[in-house]
Amino acid sequence: MIPGLVRRSKTQTVFWTTNSQSQQLFVDEEVSVGIILNGRAYDASRKGADIGIAWEGNIQSVDYLVVPKGSKNRAAAMKLIDVMTRAENQAKLAGMIAYAPTNPAAFKDIDPALAPWLSTSPENTRKGFVINAEWWRQNERRLMERWAAWKLAR
């Protein structure tokens, strides 16, 4: 990469520390491109901000709901997981906060106008890839050190 371009990019970069700050930067038009949670972008759009999401190359991760081995409340925890993963409940949550359901059946109950804003809509998942968690486990410390050095360097 060209050193001058790196310096110019750094001076034009705005770092945010809270999700609400990222949203406000877009609303106030202090930034024109950046990283923002899809629910925050959707909320800003509904409030009149001229904002959209480009899903090309989106990074998808895998999360798990778990019950620790030996849990005293195993039955209650399993019931909670069951309730949380039901399509109708995930559709309700998506309608309230615009975060994507993990149960694909939820999309039958989601407003079609909301679906483009959700990472797990079939259209958006096709445009991304699943992050290689093992690679990141092996390389995260080294890359975080490089990132910190880049941010601190002049």
Side-chain angles (χ1 to χ4, degrees):
M1 186 171 253
I2 303 167
L5 178 61
V6 171
R7 270 192 305 280
R8 190 168 62 245
S9 296
K10 189 187 305 184
T11 62
Q12 295 175 356
T13 300
V14 177
F15 295 95
W16 52 268
T17 55
T18 67
N19 294 325
S20 60
Q21 183 186 15
S22 70
Q23 182 175 346
Q24 197 62 48
L25 288 167
F26 280 99
V27 169
D28 293 344
E29 298 181 357
E30 291 185 46
V31 297
S32 56
V33 67
I35 298 171
I36 185 172
L37 297 175
N38 66 294
R40 291 287 183 164
Y42 179 73
D43 181 60
S45 173
R46 290 191 42 157
K47 292 176 178 171
D50 184 17
I51 191 171
I53 296 178
W55 290 104
E56 291 77 11
N58 72 78
I59 302 170
Q60 303 156 15
S61 64
V62 178
D63 292 316
Y64 302 91
L65 297 171
V66 299
V67 178
K69 185 176 182 177
S71 174
K72 294 177 184 175
N73 299 307
R74 183 182 186 285
M78 295 302 287
K79 180 141 178 84
L80 176 62
I81 290 172
D82 178 58
V83 170
M84 291 171 60
T85 57
R86 289 182 191 161
E88 63 272 14
N89 292 334
Q90 290 197 355
K92 286 177 193 173
L93 180 64
M96 290 188 290
I97 195 167
Y99 288 142
T102 56
N103 185 336
F107 278 94
K108 70 179 175 31
D109 295 322
I110 290 176
D111 180 346
L114 174 60
W117 294 89
L118 302 175
S119 61
T120 57
S121 74
E123 172 89 8
N124 295 335
T125 57
R126 281 193 290 275
K127 295 177 184 176
F129 61 93
V130 176
I131 195 167
N132 182 335
E134 181 60 31
W135 187 90
W136 279 98
R137 263 192 297 282
Q138 294 171 6
N139 294 282
E140 182 177 24
R141 174 172 276 140
R142 178 179 58 85
L143 294 173
M144 292 303 289
E145 289 169 358
R146 284 181 61 191
W147 173 244
W150 178 83
K151 288 194 324 184
L152 294 171
R154 294 201 174 259

